[in-house]
Amino acid sequence: MTGDVAVLGAGMHPWGKWGRSFVEYGTVAARAALSDAGIRWQDVQSVVGADTVRGGYPGYVAGATFAQALGWQGARVTSVYAACASGAQAINTARAQILAGMADVVLVVGADAAPKGFFAPAGGDRPDDPDWLRFRVLGATNPAYFALYARRRMVLYGDTPEDFALVKVKNAAAGALNPNARYRTPVTADQVAASAVVADPLRLLDICATSDGAAAVVMSSMEFARRHGAADPVRIRAVSTVTPTYPRAVLDLPDIATDSAIAAEPAPESFRASIARSAYEEAAIGPEELSLAEVYDLSTALELEWYEDIGLCAAGEGAKLVREGATALGGRIPVNPSGGLASFGEAVPAQAIAQVCELTWQLRGTAAERQIPGARAGITANQGLFGHGSAVIAVR
């Protein structure tokens, strides 16, 4: 039995600060995905919702919320929480249900109405919670953490703030072509350099915003896709959701401990690199076969880390790729042709699904001005709190 499942439809609600309920956004995205797939809501057998959260913690209904908003019709529902990887794990849950024969058609939805500013832990004292501890003990907000990684790259590899600015310039140029992006104005390196310092060396335009938005996909078995008239659909071939291993030489907040397995040898690769490797192994392809990548650019410097982690170049060579224009639209291997989080901002349960939407449109050849000619394979990658991360490989 093939491990492939089809992506029949993709839909989004544009990102922004709209001041409305996440349910409204998710319903718009779901209906757009159903329309794109040519599927009636009544034909959906399962709904998987990526949990809408606050401060990293679940508690808002997702799967059943969207099923009710679309109109109860008996579909099974599932809600999935995995921090920033929630959308990808929702996609993986849908894939598992399809491959297990539990459903032929599954709707996956993620949506958020994010708070202003950076994300912070929910209220109350929780000394056993690593996310609460990193704020209270270390004072490490997300921007501070991003800045530590940026400073590390500067020391180890000689990266400069000018290199980081090039990432923003590249992503803003792509986002200007994306009708779903929140920020649709090109940005110059001088504008990045002139923006306020948030956490040295990162400036305001180096760091992604928090946003409202939604994304959805309709997935099916390959047999259903053929019956539905989709002879050559975009196919999800792999989803990786591996966890970190100890010992860890470099901290990935909110975890502070590194040595719960101190007697073990350090892993030969980073956590993020292991996420991508697992996906490549499952899909039986390598990074040299990719046409594009969508990675989790919480900051400009972190995008450069992802170039290395997903195997586009060796450690320390990420800045070289962006300087050469290799990862821009028209380059050898475009990264974040959607515009990335730099252009969208974070809508946590939606963003990993949005990445798969972009892969879907690119592999179909329907990405309009952003289109990568002849795109045949793509990878998504992200990392969230509490050891969550994901990579999705889609092919056509």
Side-chain angles (χ1 to χ4, degrees):
M1 179 178 70
T2 177
D4 287 359
V5 296
V7 181
L8 293 184
M12 295 178 68
H13 182 290
W15 257 238
K17 282 290 187 182
W18 307 110
R20 300 194 293 273
S21 165
F22 77 92
V23 181
E24 180 178 336
Y25 307 144
T27 303
V28 168
R31 288 177 175 151
L34 290 166
S35 176
D36 185 48
I39 297 290
R40 299 184 312 149
W41 160 236
Q42 291 83 356
D43 295 327
V44 172
Q45 298 165 337
S46 178
V47 180
V48 183
D51 275 4
T52 298
V53 301
R54 287 296 173 268
Y57 297 87
Y60 287 65
V61 179
T65 303
F66 297 124
Q68 182 182 31
L70 291 164
W72 294 126
Q73 46 86 315
R76 72 170 68 232
V77 295
T78 309
S79 295
V80 176
Y81 172 71
C84 295
S86 295
Q89 290 215 19
I91 286 171
N92 197 41
T93 298
R95 181 179 73 145
Q97 291 179 356
I98 291 166
L99 293 178
M102 297 167 64
D104 277 331
V105 183
V106 182
L107 172 66
V108 180
V109 190
D112 200 6
K116 293 182 178 180
F118 55 76
F119 291 107
D125 290 344
R126 292 181 310 282
D128 57 348
D129 167 16
D131 197 37
W132 182 88
L133 286 171
R134 60 109 170 191
F135 275 84
R136 294 295 183 90
V137 177
L138 299 181
T141 63
N142 286 355
Y145 168 52
F146 305 154
L148 289 171
Y149 251 100
R151 183 62 64 184
R152 182 175 184 271
R153 289 195 63 84
M154 294 172 73
V155 171
L156 287 180
Y157 306 130
D159 290 6
T160 67
E162 291 73 25
D163 294 324
F164 305 151
L166 290 176
V167 176
K168 174 65 175 184
V169 171
K170 169 188 74 72
N171 288 345
L177 304 176
N178 192 334
N180 289 308
R182 175 179 178 181
Y183 301 105
R184 300 193 58 200
T185 302
V187 170
T188 67
D190 286 343
Q191 287 175 307
V192 178
S195 64
V197 174
V198 175
D200 186 65
L202 299 179
R203 295 179 175 272
L204 185 64
L205 293 183
D206 284 304
I207 298 170
C208 76
T210 60
S211 289
D212 298 358
V217 291
V218 175
M219 299 165 55
S220 79
S221 65
M222 295 303 297
E223 181 182 354
F224 179 91
R226 285 189 289 270
R227 293 200 311 266
H228 188 62
D232 183 28
V234 172
R235 303 183 301 282
I236 291 177
R237 181 152 289 174
V239 183
S240 169
T241 60
V242 298
T243 54
T245 59
Y246 281 111
R248 305 177 73 186
V250 180
L251 289 177
D252 276 322
L253 293 179
D255 295 313
I256 298 171
T258 63
D259 60 354
S260 71
I262 192 64
E265 288 295 320
E269 60 192 358
S270 69
F271 169 44
R272 285 192 297 271
S274 73
I275 299 170
R277 176 184 50 76
S278 177
Y280 289 135
E281 289 176 353
E282 182 180 345
I285 69 171
E288 68 282 355
E289 297 172 74
L290 296 175
S291 305
L292 72 149
E294 282 282 314
V295 303
Y296 197 45
D297 58 315
L298 291 165
S299 79
T300 51
L302 283 177
E303 178 167 322
L304 300 182
E305 292 270 332
W306 279 115
Y307 295 173
E308 298 157 16
D309 292 330
I310 66 175
L312 302 185
C313 61
E317 295 181 359
K320 182 173 182 286
L321 287 189
V322 78
R323 289 176 203 143
E324 295 172 347
T327 56
L329 287 173
R332 173 174 60 82
I333 175 66
V335 177
N336 286 339
S338 68
L341 295 182
S343 300
F344 278 75
E346 284 192 275
V348 171
Q351 50 214 25
I353 303 171
Q355 290 180 322
V356 173
C357 288
E358 182 67 18
L359 259 57
T360 299
W361 294 322
Q362 289 285 353
L363 297 178
R364 285 180 181 173
T366 59
E369 296 176 273
R370 307 187 312 282
Q371 184 60 50
I372 298 164
R376 303 297 297 176
I379 190 171
T380 73
N382 76 41
Q383 178 186 357
L385 293 178
F386 315 124
H388 291 121
S390 69
V392 178
I393 290 178
V395 300
R396 192 173 189 191

